[in-house]
Amino acid sequence: MSSHSERNDRRRPKAPEREIRSKPQKNKAFSKPSGDEKEWIWGNHAVEAALSNPARPPAKRLLVTPDRAKRLAPNLQRHPALQILEPGDIARLLPQGAVHQGIAMKVSEPEPLSLAELGTPAQGVIVMLDQITDPQNVGAIFRSAAAFGVKGAVLQDRHAPALSGVLAKTAVGAVDKVPYARVVNLSRALEELAELGWRAVALAGEAQQSLEEVLDGGPTVLVLGSEGEGVRRLVAEHCDAMGKIPMPGGFESLNVSAAAAIALYETSRVRATGEIGS
């Protein structure tokens, strides 16, 4: 949580306190991972992306079914962590309900970048997640970030799920394609990014202007709030602008991952328009 003593030295518009949000989703098939459960990923795309990511530490275990083993690349058939197990034996090592598709891997998260590494040079779009805790939402946001060529993601050390399990499965390999940084304090991270040349825009359902109106095509940090509370006040105060997604249908809100996909499309469209006009 940000300190009450923090102040924003730059002039920013007064920010609404709520964000486009959805209620936290409860997925009964998956419990919160604990212990070594945090290190398991499963599914074809998630495991293949992790195996090809040089930022990943070496795999501790690589489990495949006999049928899946026949389709492994020759180099993976000689992988030192490879074990061939029956489908049920693999399932017993994973959280209840995990659809492993015949392949699972126990491995630590990709190595995070420092904020300075992620933000240099100031170019493109960074997504910042403010206490978004639902792993399916975070995984879907990573997938959209990869689809729209986002430069990276900023997550909190706390109040953010591990990049494994159902999150990695939902991301369909995007966890290993989108660089990320973990920070203690998002407000201070926004100050550091501002010094590097970034402009922060928070997505807020009660903003006075649309996202299209507040985006300028320059280096943008897109700040997304939690499913329940939206962008927190102190984080919003460190943003340069607030923008909303116009919803002429009158529906009150969108799921945060759906809102993120729309917002990332809009940022990519505005950037492309600016590049064409320059």
Side-chain angles (χ1 to χ4, degrees):
M1 185 67 71
S2 303
S3 167
H4 287 284
S5 64
E6 290 181 336
R7 293 292 183 269
N8 178 16
D9 294 329
R10 297 177 293 149
R11 180 175 295 177
R12 301 175 175 86
K14 186 175 180 181
E17 295 185 10
R18 291 196 297 154
E19 234 277 25
I20 288 180
R21 65 194 70 170
S22 64
K23 293 181 180 179
Q25 297 179 356
K26 293 182 180 180
N27 191 323
K28 295 180 180 179
F30 292 92
S31 57
K32 184 177 180 180
S34 59
D36 69 351
E37 285 187 12
K38 293 181 179 180
E39 297 186 315
W40 283 104
I41 60 175
W42 55 84
N44 292 331
H45 295 293
V47 173
E48 288 172 3
L51 286 167
S52 63
N53 184 2
R56 283 272 188 185
K60 299 174 183 179
R61 300 181 73 179
L62 175 59
L63 311 181
V64 299
T65 60
D67 286 343
R68 187 69 177 78
K70 297 174 184 176
R71 292 179 278 124
L72 287 176
N75 61 314
L76 293 182
Q77 291 177 355
R78 299 186 296 273
H79 197 286
L82 179 65
Q83 294 177 267
I84 299 177
L85 299 177
E86 293 300 321
D89 294 328
I90 295 176
R92 278 188 282 274
L93 294 169
L94 304 177
Q96 183 181 4
V99 181
H100 57 71
Q101 298 177 303
I103 188 165
M105 184 165 64
K106 185 178 181 182
V107 64
S108 298
E109 285 188 346
E111 291 293 331
L113 300 178
S114 70
L115 193 62
E117 289 172 329
L118 186 65
T120 305
Q123 184 178 2
V125 176
I126 288 174
V127 291
M128 176 179 283
L129 309 188
D130 183 12
Q131 295 194 340
I132 299 177
T133 57
D134 184 271
Q136 288 182 311
N137 276 335
V138 177
I141 291 170
F142 263 84
R143 185 175 184 178
S144 295
F148 289 107
V150 164
K151 184 180 178 71
V154 178
L155 312 174
Q156 291 176 286
D157 278 340
R158 301 176 62 187
H159 308 296
L163 302 184
S164 59
V166 66
L167 188 160
K169 183 68 161 58
T170 305
V172 196
V175 163
D176 288 278
K177 299 181 186 300
V178 178
Y180 76 101
R182 287 195 182 272
V183 299
V184 174
N185 187 296
L186 295 183
S187 297
R188 294 194 188 112
L190 286 172
E191 291 178 353
E192 184 176 340
L193 288 169
E195 292 174 357
L196 293 171
W198 292 87
R199 180 174 180 265
V201 174
L203 189 62
E206 295 182 359
Q208 297 299 309
Q209 295 177 287
S210 70
L211 194 58
E212 179 184 15
E213 291 172 317
V214 299
L215 292 170
D216 64 1
T220 301
V221 181
L222 181 65
V223 184
L224 305 171
S226 69
E227 297 92 338
E229 299 301 323
V231 175
R232 290 171 297 156
R233 179 179 61 83
L234 284 173
V235 176
E237 288 178 356
H238 282 76
C239 291
D240 299 280
M242 310 287 285
K244 66 181 178 182
I245 297 171
M247 288 182 281
F251 199 70
E252 182 181 355
S253 64
L254 292 172
N255 172 279
V256 65
S257 60
I262 295 169
L264 288 172
Y265 165 75
E266 186 64 20
T267 58
S268 68
R269 189 188 66 80
V270 170
R271 285 170 58 210
T273 301
E275 289 169 0
I276 292 170
S278 60

